[in-house]
Amino acid sequence: MTKKDGDYVHSRVACTILERSKMSLLNPALIAEKVEERTIDETAKPMLRITLETGIETVWDRFEMQQPPCSYCASGVSCSRCAMGPCRIIPDHHRLRGVCGADADLIVARNLLDTLATGAASHSDHGREIVETMYKTSEGTAQGYTITDPEKLRRIALELDITVGTRGDLEIARDVSLALLEEFGTIKNSIRFSERAPKKTREIWESAGITPRSVDREVVEAMHRIHMGVGADYVNVLLHGLRTALSDGWGGSLMATEVSDILFGTPEINTSSVNLGVLKEDHVNIALHGHNPVLSEMIVRAAEDAELLALATENGAKGINLVGLCCTGNELLMRKGIPQAGNHFNQELVIATGALDVMIVDYQCIFPSLPRTASCYHTHIVSTSPKSRVPGSLHYPFHPESAMETARAIVRLAVENYPNRLAENVHIPGEPIRAVTGFSVEAIQTALGGTFAPLIEAIADGKILGAVGVVGCNNPKVKHDFGHVTLTKELIKRDILVVETGCAAIASGKAGLLLPGAADLAGHGLASVCRALNIPPVLHMGSCVDCSRILVLAAALANELDVGIDQLPLGGAAPEWYSQKAVSIGSYFVASGVYTVLGVMPKITGSENVTNLLTNGLCGVVNASFAVEPDPLLAADLLESHIRHKRQNLGI
Ligand code: BF8
């Protein structure tokens, strides 16, 4: 490790070549079989083949190396929470309780709350950084940021009882920032944005005792409750999980979404392109990977810098090509139409194109092994967050106060790295697919002619049966993108409108489902609505924090009808989820009244009581529950039958 410019820069780590995979080079048939087993993404396939042929390690290899998993961990009954353990529940060996006396129900519930709180904290900490950036912008100490949507700023100011009048943007932004920062630790005992939920939904929260009080408070209390000797009742522990998730969905995530819109613009419908084919052989390629637009938006501006563009030309490139990955990619795709290279499982494969000069990461969903992959090529991984140091990466600490300067330095690094590319390593697979994105709630309302009435009418007259939010990640337990794409196609075929975020939305983009032409795959009723409005049957609503947009849309529809969200013909699905954040999202969907089907079993099967509570018992608390169904066609059956049941109850 060397010290440079006041910060530590790690030296490059070794490229990881797997002997096992090298051996498979001898067997092209086995490689072809593995590729087909692993992904349905056509541009991922050639890259995957290269990694298998050369032995470059990927997430799928590591997953295979981890098999078989520990069955106690997989069913949630192992506990390493304190130093009296670790413990496991093994009924056949009369190990029915851990050293502290916790039984399987409690151990499973505590582990789940731990997972959920981690996810809620991650979204909310991201949200806080954006609000802090707006505060610094208002104080004039953030470099390069501005208020891009003053109309939304004023709308939110009024919602927070902040005087608007003739005051300037920055003055209002300062008060809005301070009011929102207070939401993280407020003593007011309720999160302001949660008041957007319909009255009937809030009454359900009140009677269940799960009204979210503040973001930090719920997460801290979750940590307290799972300490040995605090929460001993699994139901009570899990109910706090719902409250913590609500503080994310209606608090931290919603603040991230709303303030990102104020700073960078509320997304409007736009067209861009998706898949690994968005890389350009004759351009400097920079991938933006991670989550927070505070970083990526500045890189976009730096990449337009005339001096850096001239340097790129001097170095033999025709320009600077920015591409997105994962959720920061979704933020840029939604607002700026920046092409999206792929989702979670494309992050290693984009390096294997040999054409990536720099990958910039901030935090969340970034494989710690990326510098190892990059070391097999000329690619630099640049880490930027003090919270997320990655050994083997170059670290350029990113702070709002010096944002432009740092962004320019990183873009310069990429431009200077372009001549180091080895032509024989460059394989850019296929052509990008066009995708229509930018469906913020505001953009949907505008597309509908300024009111949600046409959507409600289409649902009431049965052209659209209902809507499902398909969200979440990739997980090696599911063939890459297969769960998302199969479920989404099946839902639209059944006249169910699909709204998507995160890696699910990117999967649909790669499969061509984010185009108005995809209406050809939809049922007759949904297709007619899409054609009339010239929109796709699958609406890309943004990044994972933008699952909060789905809540706001659901609330708007419920408020129009004066019902609770639980009464609407809606569903949620996370066919390939992996992350703690997805646990929080699924839980705030359910807590808000949205039946949610998971494609991957959570680590709860060691407790029949917890499994029953989550898949059934919660109906008696929040009028919604989880289901687990790995087969996407059967998941579509569950969602359709739920939607039909809700329609019947509404008398439509
Ligand atoms: O927040 S969908 S793999 S990238 S966790 Fe991660 Fe999952 Fe993708 Fe975005 Ni969300």
Side-chain angles (χ1 to χ4, degrees):
M1 200 154 72
T2 53
K3 198 165 189 294
K4 184 189 157 200
D5 296 339
D7 218 295
Y8 290 101
V9 178
H10 291 271
S11 50
R12 278 164 85 85
V13 289
C15 162
T16 307
I17 299 289
L18 299 173
E19 290 303 318
R20 197 167 51 115
S21 297
K22 260 202 227 167
M23 283 162 61
S24 65
L25 176 65
L26 302 173
N27 188 344
L30 180 63
I31 288 178
E33 200 180 303
K34 267 191 186 295
V35 166
E36 292 301 323
E37 265 171 23
R38 289 178 173 187
T39 187
I40 64 162
D41 173 347
E42 290 303 328
T43 55
K45 287 179 184 176
M47 298 297 97
L48 201 41
R49 195 166 52 241
I50 288 172
T51 62
L52 284 162
E53 284 168 356
T54 54
I56 293 172
E57 180 189 290
T58 62
V59 61
W60 291 277
D61 300 312
R62 293 188 293 273
F63 179 70
E64 283 179 8
M65 289 186 266
Q66 285 293 334
Q67 301 309 305
C70 161
S71 63
Y72 305 103
C73 298
S75 59
V77 290
S78 63
C79 181
S80 55
R81 202 158 295 291
C82 82
M84 293 191 287
C87 302
R88 290 172 301 175
I89 302 300
I90 315 174
D92 290 350
H93 291 188
H94 306 290
R95 295 188 195 173
L96 297 174
R97 285 172 288 283
V99 177
C100 73
D103 60 12
D105 297 337
L106 181 57
I107 289 178
V108 169
R110 286 193 310 208
N111 287 344
L112 188 59
L113 180 55
D114 193 354
T115 303
L116 185 157
T118 304
S122 304
H123 278 151
S124 301
D125 202 39
H126 159 173
R128 185 193 339 248
E129 281 190 14
I130 295 171
V131 180
E132 281 175 345
T133 303
M134 183 161 81
Y135 178 71
K136 287 174 183 166
T137 304
S138 74
E139 292 279 281
T141 55
Q143 201 179 50
Y145 299 91
T146 177
I147 302 298
T148 306
D149 189 342
E151 196 273 323
K152 186 159 195 168
L153 171 70
R154 282 169 174 72
R155 192 152 31 98
I156 288 177
L158 291 173
E159 185 179 350
L160 299 171
D161 302 321
I162 290 166
T163 307
V164 170
T166 54
R167 298 168 81 205
D169 289 353
L170 295 182
E171 216 181 327
I172 299 170
R174 184 177 182 279
D175 287 355
V176 168
S177 307
L178 290 172
L180 293 181
L181 286 170
E182 201 196 328
E183 295 291 300
F184 285 86
T186 181
I187 53 164
K188 294 194 302 282
N189 262 347
S190 112
I191 291 176
R192 287 297 294 269
F193 283 160
S194 72
E195 290 166 23
R196 292 186 188 183
K199 188 164 170 281
K200 290 194 169 117
T201 301
R202 282 183 280 131
E203 283 167 1
I204 291 171
W205 296 344
E206 272 307 310
S207 68
I210 58 170
T211 299
R213 295 161 296 180
S214 74
V215 178
D216 290 351
R217 178 171 188 169
E218 305 310 358
V219 174
V220 169
E221 190 172 311
M223 293 295 103
H224 182 192
R225 282 167 177 253
I226 62 175
H227 189 281
M228 203 297 282
V230 185
D233 171 351
Y234 75 93
V235 177
N236 189 265
V237 168
L238 291 175
L239 284 180
H240 184 71
L242 296 187
R243 178 153 59 177
T244 305
L246 288 172
S247 78
D248 169 4
W250 296 91
S253 280
L254 189 46
M255 285 189 258
T257 294
E258 299 293 49
V259 178
S260 294
D261 284 356
I262 293 172
L263 282 177
F264 308 119
T266 302
E268 293 173 3
I269 299 173
N270 72 75
T271 305
S272 185
S273 45
V274 191
N275 77 24
L276 291 171
V278 299
L279 273 85
K280 293 184 181 167
E281 199 161 346
D282 51 8
H283 280 58
V284 174
N285 289 309
I286 302 175
L288 290 134
H289 178 19
H291 285 79
N292 200 326
V294 159
L295 163 70
S296 46
E297 286 274 345
M298 281 303 121
I299 300 288
V300 173
R301 291 188 204 171
E304 289 162 357
D305 182 283
E307 192 195 320
L308 292 169
L309 285 166
L311 186 61
T313 314
E314 230 171 85
N315 283 355
K318 288 202 175 133
I320 300 172
N321 183 37
L322 297 184
V323 302
L325 277 168
C326 290
C327 282
T328 214
N330 277 326
E331 302 271 357
L332 295 173
L333 182 69
M334 290 279 285
R335 295 197 179 87
K336 299 273 187 298
I338 300 283
Q340 176 75 292
N343 51 9
H344 191 40
F345 280 8
N346 292 108
Q347 62 182 289
E348 289 164 315
L349 304 182
V350 71
I351 297 171
T353 62
L356 188 65
D357 302 301
V358 158
M359 180 186 285
I360 307 169
V361 303
D362 53 14
Y363 42 54
Q364 300 169 18
C365 304
I366 292 147
F367 290 144
S369 58
L370 280 181
R372 291 187 175 280
T373 320
S375 294
C376 307
Y377 295 89
H378 76 296
T379 312
H380 288 306
I381 306 292
V382 174
S383 59
T384 53
S385 168
K387 293 170 192 169
S388 178
R389 299 296 294 258
V390 188
S393 65
L394 298 170
H395 189 66
Y396 282 60
F398 195 86
H399 305 288
E401 293 83 351
S402 51
M404 251 337 268
E405 228 168 275
T406 313
R408 282 170 48 86
I410 300 172
V411 173
R412 176 179 290 276
L413 177 77
V415 171
E416 287 172 351
N417 199 26
Y418 175 79
N420 297 328
R421 255 191 228 173
L422 293 178
E424 66 268 27
N425 277 348
V426 175
H427 304 279
I428 298 175
E431 288 299 311
I433 294 203
R434 304 294 287 164
V436 176
T437 74
F439 289 94
S440 57
V441 175
E442 292 85 343
I444 293 173
Q445 197 169 4
T446 305
L448 291 168
T451 147
F452 291 111
L455 179 59
I456 290 171
E457 265 165 44
I459 293 174
D461 68 19
K463 278 188 185 149
I464 297 178
L465 278 190
V468 170
V470 180
V471 303
C473 327
N474 297 132
N475 185 320
K477 293 174 181 170
V478 182
K479 189 194 282 198
H480 176 213
D481 290 353
F482 174 81
H484 297 307
V485 172
T486 313
L487 175 63
T488 300
K489 280 186 176 169
E490 196 58 29
L491 291 171
I492 61 171
K493 194 162 94 186
R494 301 178 189 204
D495 285 321
I496 295 169
L497 176 72
V498 176
V499 293
E500 295 193 333
T501 59
C503 290
I506 305 169
S508 282
K510 290 185 281 179
L513 299 175
L514 301 183
L515 290 167
D520 294 347
L521 302 174
H524 183 69
L526 175 60
S528 67
V529 175
C530 292
R531 289 192 186 112
L533 297 170
N534 194 30
I535 58 168
V538 183
L539 305 183
H540 188 329
M541 292 190 73
S543 64
C544 278
V545 291
D546 293 334
C547 287
S548 61
R549 296 193 201 272
I550 298 178
L551 293 181
V552 171
L553 179 61
L557 298 179
N559 282 331
E560 290 266 336
L561 297 170
D562 194 23
V563 296
I565 292 175
D566 61 296
Q567 292 169 275
L568 294 173
L570 299 181
E576 303 180 29
W577 74 275
Y578 93 87
S579 94
Q580 296 101 320
K581 292 178 290 171
V583 174
S584 181
I585 293 169
S587 301
Y588 68 65
F589 272 14
V590 168
S592 301
V594 180
Y595 170 68
T596 298
V597 182
L598 308 176
V600 176
M601 179 57 94
K603 293 177 230 162
I604 57 170
T605 52
S607 163
E608 208 178 314
N609 284 332
V610 169
T611 307
N612 284 339
L613 177 70
L614 298 180
T615 56
N616 191 13
L618 284 183
C619 288
V621 183
V622 288
N623 292 343
S625 68
F626 287 99
V628 182
E629 179 47 70
D631 180 335
L633 298 182
L634 296 179
D637 287 347
L638 291 174
L639 288 158
E640 183 188 343
S641 112
H642 169 80
I643 282 171
R644 287 193 182 278
H645 177 66
K646 292 291 169 183
R647 292 180 62 88
Q648 207 174 13
N649 288 351
L650 283 172
I652 55 174

